Amino acid sequence: MRIWVARPEPGAARTGARLAALGHRPLLAPVLTVAPTGFRLPEETFAGLILTSANAAAALTPAERARLRAVPTFAVGARTAALARELGFADVREAEGDARALARLVRASLPMGAHLVHAAGAERKAEPAASLIAAGYRLAVCELYAARGVARLPDAAADALAGRRLDGALHYSRRSAQAAHDLATAAGLGGAFGDLTHYCLSADVAAPLVTAGVAVHFVPDRPGEDALLAGLPAPGPTGFR
């Protein structure tokens, strides 16, 4: 399959490599860019570090990593957990791929009232903060990075959609799914976009496409790239169209 990867870098390149290894042909055309905000973690003592994305882990400075290295680190899923370990965090605890599961993991690990820090993005969702605060935890939320939408549909994606040279699209976040749809529609390619086979990391990611009337082909039972890619068809003896 010729598959559009719309997620921002550096995740797009990692996903592209995995798709190629599976026999697919990735088209890397991100619709969001990730950049640091310049904010830093407060120099306080914390009982736990919360990471809801690999981007948050990557945004930590070497000094912040060293200071929090031994603190229990709660990662939303496998990729975030793996990067946290690569960055030197000694006690990484992995949730099941979504923010509510992450909040449950914290509650099962630390006593109520513990002081936590959440390294987050500027466009974050209510969870896990809402559940943790309601449960009595003290939470400092620090917006270390922001994902910004590109101004127009990337040329590579526009050309491929116009020429009907794409089979499917992978969507990793609600914002990137919404942006991909809106940019394709603004470029007059909404019909071609709707005809793609859409694979979404979770029901939340799929929501803007469903609202727009775009058929979503596959959503894994549990959020995670392994489960998402498992939903792709295997290459056959005659190849893909």
Side-chain angles (χ1 to χ4, degrees):
M1 293 181 73
R2 182 68 164 159
I3 301 175
W4 179 13
V5 182
R7 70 184 306 198
E9 294 290 7
R14 291 194 303 268
T15 298
R18 294 196 65 182
L19 287 171
L22 290 171
H24 299 287
R25 294 174 293 145
L27 172 67
L28 307 186
V31 296
L32 302 175
T33 59
V34 174
T37 60
F39 291 112
R40 302 276 39 106
L41 301 186
E43 295 204 10
E44 303 173 25
T45 299
F46 295 104
L49 168 65
I50 295 173
L51 300 172
T52 43
S53 78
N55 289 322
L60 296 167
T61 67
E64 288 168 338
R65 297 171 197 166
R67 180 160 59 89
L68 297 172
R69 180 182 179 278
V71 169
T73 299
F74 299 91
V76 69
R79 173 58 198 166
T80 304
L83 181 56
R85 295 184 183 103
E86 290 173 17
L87 294 174
F89 290 94
D91 182 3
V92 179
R93 309 180 189 190
E94 181 182 327
E96 298 174 354
D98 64 72
R100 290 187 181 276
L102 184 58
R104 290 194 296 271
L105 178 61
V106 172
R107 293 199 302 269
S109 304
L110 298 177
M112 185 176 63
H115 193 194
L116 312 172
V117 61
H118 178 191
E123 298 82 18
R124 66 186 183 279
K125 299 172 186 173
E127 296 293 346
S131 293
L132 291 173
I133 291 171
Y137 291 91
R138 294 182 296 139
L139 186 64
V141 179
C142 302
E143 298 175 353
L144 301 187
Y145 71 94
R148 307 298 186 198
V150 301
R152 62 186 179 88
L153 187 67
D155 289 342
D159 291 345
L161 284 171
R164 298 284 178 162
R165 295 190 301 275
L166 281 172
D167 299 305
L170 290 181
H171 303 287
Y172 281 74
S173 74
R174 188 185 185 108
R175 282 198 66 211
S176 64
Q178 182 74 68
H181 170 268
D182 291 350
L183 291 169
T185 301
L189 296 166
F193 178 84
D195 288 342
L196 298 179
T197 304
H198 294 275
Y199 299 83
C200 297
L201 188 68
S202 69
D204 180 68
V205 172
L209 300 183
V210 174
T211 299
V214 174
V216 173
H217 175 74
F218 179 75
V219 176
D221 292 334
R222 289 175 52 182
E225 187 170 63
D226 288 347
L228 178 63
L229 297 185
L232 297 173
T238 59
F240 297 107
R241 65 181 176 90

